[in-house]
């Protein structure tokens, strides 16, 4: 009875071929038992392999799901890339920008993008003052379009409000101009709300506040930085970078003026040559016409 039951189980696992082999050897009891044991072992091995394969697939799937969950939970998919920010700026302001200005704009856009989408970033009016001061100095003599449109496209590409930047800059400018001491400047709400997160435009904004108040003492800057919660070494570094940027920009502007003046002279010379050539050709035609008239009259 036990042998018959084992044969049925084995045959159910290995299929009809095994069933034929098991039923054809009913006269010998030892041979079927041996065959059944071999077939049972094979069937068990096959089943374990299938289960092991299925478990492996499930494990890989679980790992992949875990990885996907990690990336989703990190929130990276919701943050635009530098390319996204640049594309948004270009799509908003489609007019051409000369290379001298465009190079600076792209550098500032990348720098502010990295700061803007830092998890510790928070907007503050001092940063707005610093950025507006830098931008207005760069585009003070811009003659190739509306610089305010570039400003709005720049801030909009960072998913912030250009109007908020301008209004906060104006309010802080008036407040700083009305103050006369470092202590009064340090007590401004905008300065108190800066926090430890470092941004180069915030550093420039602190320096600009002192300029508006007419305070030039180097120790005053250190007091302002301490009151804001920023690090003096980083602020000093950014101010040097800022001055270097303005110096390079001035040199680039001078070079551009020289190139434009040279092209203007070359254009004027070419026009003068064309006019002289045209006059010479016209004069030659008149001489030939007079000679023909004289020959005809004679």
């Amino acid at each position: 009875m036990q042998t018959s039951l084992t044969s049925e189980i084995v045959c159910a696992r290995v299929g009809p071929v095994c069933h034929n082999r098991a039923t054809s050897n009913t006269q010998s009891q030892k041979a079927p038992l041996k065959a059944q044991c071999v077939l049972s072992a094979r069937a068990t091995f096959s089943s374990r392999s299938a289960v092991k394969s299925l478990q492996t697939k499930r494990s890989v799937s679980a790992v992949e799901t875990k990885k996907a969950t990690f990336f989703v939970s990190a929130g990276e998919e919701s943050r635009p890339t530098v390319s996204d920010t640049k594309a948004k700026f270009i799509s908003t302001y489609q007019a051409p920008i000369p290379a001298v200005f465009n190079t600076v704009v792209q550098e500032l856009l990348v720098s502010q993008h990295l700061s803007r989408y830092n998890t510790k970033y928070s907007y503050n009016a001092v940063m707005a003052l610093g950025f507006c001061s830098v931008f207005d100095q760069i585009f003070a003599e811009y003659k190739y379009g509306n610089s305010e449109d570039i400003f709005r496209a720049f801030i909009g590409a960072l998913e912030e409000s250009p109007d908020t930047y301008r209004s906060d800059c104006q309010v802080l400018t008036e407040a700083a101009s009305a103050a006369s001491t470092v202590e009064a400047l340090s007590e401004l709400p905008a300065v108190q709300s800066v926090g430890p997160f470092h941004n180069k435009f915030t550093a420039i904004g602190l320096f600009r506040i002192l300029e508006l108040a007419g305070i030039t003492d180097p120790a005053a800057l250190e007091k302002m930085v301490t009151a804001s919660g920023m690090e003096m070494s980083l602020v000093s570094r950014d101010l040097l970078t800022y001055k270097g940027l303005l110096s390079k920009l001035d040199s680039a502007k001078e070079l551009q003026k020289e190139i434009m003046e040279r092209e203007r002279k070359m254009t004027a010379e070419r026009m003068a040559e064309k006019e002289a050539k045209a006059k010479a050709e016209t004069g030659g035609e008149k001489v030939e016409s007079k000679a023909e008239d004289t020959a005809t009259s004679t």
Side-chain angles (χ1 to χ4, degrees), residues 155-195:
I155 302 299
L158 296 168
E159 298 181 352
E160 293 186 314
S161 170
D163 295 331
T164 301
Y165 268 72
R166 285 301 188 188
S167 61
D168 287 351
C169 176
Q170 181 64 29
V171 171
L172 188 54
T173 298
E174 294 174 358
S177 301
S180 57
T181 64
V182 180
E183 290 73 19
L185 293 175
S186 300
E187 293 297 326
L188 291 175
V191 176
Q192 292 289 327
S193 64
V194 168

Side-chain angles (χ1 to χ4, degrees), residues 109-274:
L109 188 60
V110 172
S111 174
Q112 189 64 0
H113 169 94
L114 297 176
S115 178
R116 165 69 177 85
Y117 293 106
N118 188 298
T119 55
K120 298 180 181 179
Y121 172 85
S122 63
Y123 169 85
N124 63 81
V126 177
M127 182 193 68
L129 174 63
F131 178 79
C132 291
S133 299
V134 172
F135 185 90
D136 292 342
Q137 283 185 297
I138 292 173
F139 287 91
E141 300 177 0
Y142 192 72
K143 303 176 182 179
Y144 308 97
N146 189 343
S147 60
E148 189 62 22
D149 290 341
I150 299 176
F151 175 86
R152 299 186 70 84
F154 188 105
I155 302 299
L158 296 168
E159 298 181 352
E160 293 186 314
S161 170
D163 295 331
T164 301
Y165 268 72
R166 285 301 188 188
S167 61
D168 287 351
C169 176
Q170 181 64 29
V171 171
L172 188 54
T173 298
E174 294 174 358
S177 301
S180 57
T181 64
V182 180
E183 290 73 19
L185 293 175
S186 300
E187 293 297 326
L188 291 175
V191 176
Q192 292 289 327
S193 64
V194 168
F197 178 72
H198 188 82
N199 182 288
K200 66 174 62 179
F201 294 117
T202 305
I204 296 169
L206 291 175
F207 180 75
R208 180 61 179 152
I209 288 174
L210 290 172
E211 281 187 334
L212 292 170
I215 301 175
T216 58
D217 184 10
L221 177 61
E222 187 171 355
K223 291 180 180 179
M224 285 283 292
V225 172
T226 301
S228 68
M230 299 180 70
E231 294 185 18
M232 186 62 196
S233 59
L234 298 179
V235 172
S236 300
R237 180 200 64 187
D238 287 339
L239 292 178
L240 290 175
T241 303
Y242 168 58
K243 292 179 180 179
L245 173 65
L246 294 180
S247 178
K248 289 180 181 179
L249 183 62
D250 290 338
S251 300
K253 287 180 179 179
E254 290 297 327
L255 179 61
Q256 186 181 33
K257 286 181 181 179
E258 293 177 3
I259 294 174
M260 292 180 65
E261 185 65 25
R262 191 182 308 158
E263 291 180 352
R264 193 177 295 111
K265 288 182 179 180
M266 292 177 64
T267 301
E269 290 176 357
R270 286 195 296 267
M271 293 297 295
E273 290 178 358
K274 288 182 179 180

Side-chain angles (χ1 to χ4, degrees), residues 95-107:
I97 301 176
V100 173
F101 297 93
N102 190 48
T103 301
V104 177
V105 169
Q106 294 300 323
E107 289 180 359

